Amino acid sequence: MAFDKINRRLRIKRGIRNKIAGTQEKPRLSIFKSNKGIYAQIIDDSNGHTLTAASSMEEGAKLNIGTCKEVGKKIAEKASAAGISQVVFDRNGYLYHGKVKALAEGAREGGLKF
C-alpha cells in the first residue's frame, strides 16, 4: 500500500507506464520534477534512446510556473529540430496540475501535439 507521497507516485507511475509507450513515430515525453528543477525528455521506448531533453537548470531561473512553460517551449523547439511533431505525454505519476500542466501547455504552444 502507498502510505507516503513517494510510494503513491511510484504506484501511479507503474500504472501509467503499463498503458503508454513511445515509438519511433510517436515518442514519449516524460517529465521529472524535483524541489530544485523540472526535467523533460523525449524517449523512443522501442530502441531505448533519449532523443532530446531540456531542463530548468539550463534556464538558470527559479522553479516556477513561468520557468516550466519555458522548458516546455524549449523541448518543443528541440523536438521540431529533431523532426518530431507528435508525442505521448507521460506525467510520470504527478498530478496534471500546476508546474506539470504549465510544461505541457508550453510544449503545445511550441508546436508539439499530444
Side-chain angles (χ1 to χ4, degrees):
M1 294 284 181
F3 293 106
D4 60 359
K5 280 185 174 183
I6 295 170
N7 287 335
R8 179 182 181 279
R9 187 183 75 80
L10 293 176
R11 183 179 53 82
I12 293 169
K13 177 182 175 176
R14 280 194 307 269
I16 291 169
R17 288 289 288 121
N18 284 333
K19 295 173 188 162
I20 65 169
T23 62
Q24 278 187 321
E25 297 79 35
K26 200 170 181 181
R28 177 170 57 100
L29 172 60
S30 178
I31 63 159
F32 175 74
K33 186 175 69 164
S34 71
N35 289 337
K36 293 186 177 183
I38 193 160
Y39 308 86
Q41 293 183 18
I42 296 183
I43 304 165
D44 175 12
D45 288 320
S46 59
N47 295 328
H49 292 290
T50 298
L51 304 174
T52 185
S55 74
S56 60
M57 297 299 173
E58 295 171 359
E59 300 292 320
K62 291 192 176 216
L63 183 63
N64 56 27
I65 302 280
T67 305
C68 293
K69 201 167 217 175
E70 291 301 317
V71 171
K73 288 179 184 176
K74 184 172 288 283
I75 194 75
E77 178 183 311
K78 288 183 177 183
S80 64
I84 301 165
S85 62
Q86 275 194 319
V87 294
V88 177
F89 187 65
D90 178 11
R91 59 188 174 89
N92 216 358
Y94 300 109
L95 294 176
Y96 188 79
H97 184 286
K99 295 178 176 111
V100 175
K101 184 177 178 182
L103 190 140
E105 288 173 353
R108 281 192 191 103
E109 286 177 12
L112 280 180
K113 293 183 179 128
F114 298 1

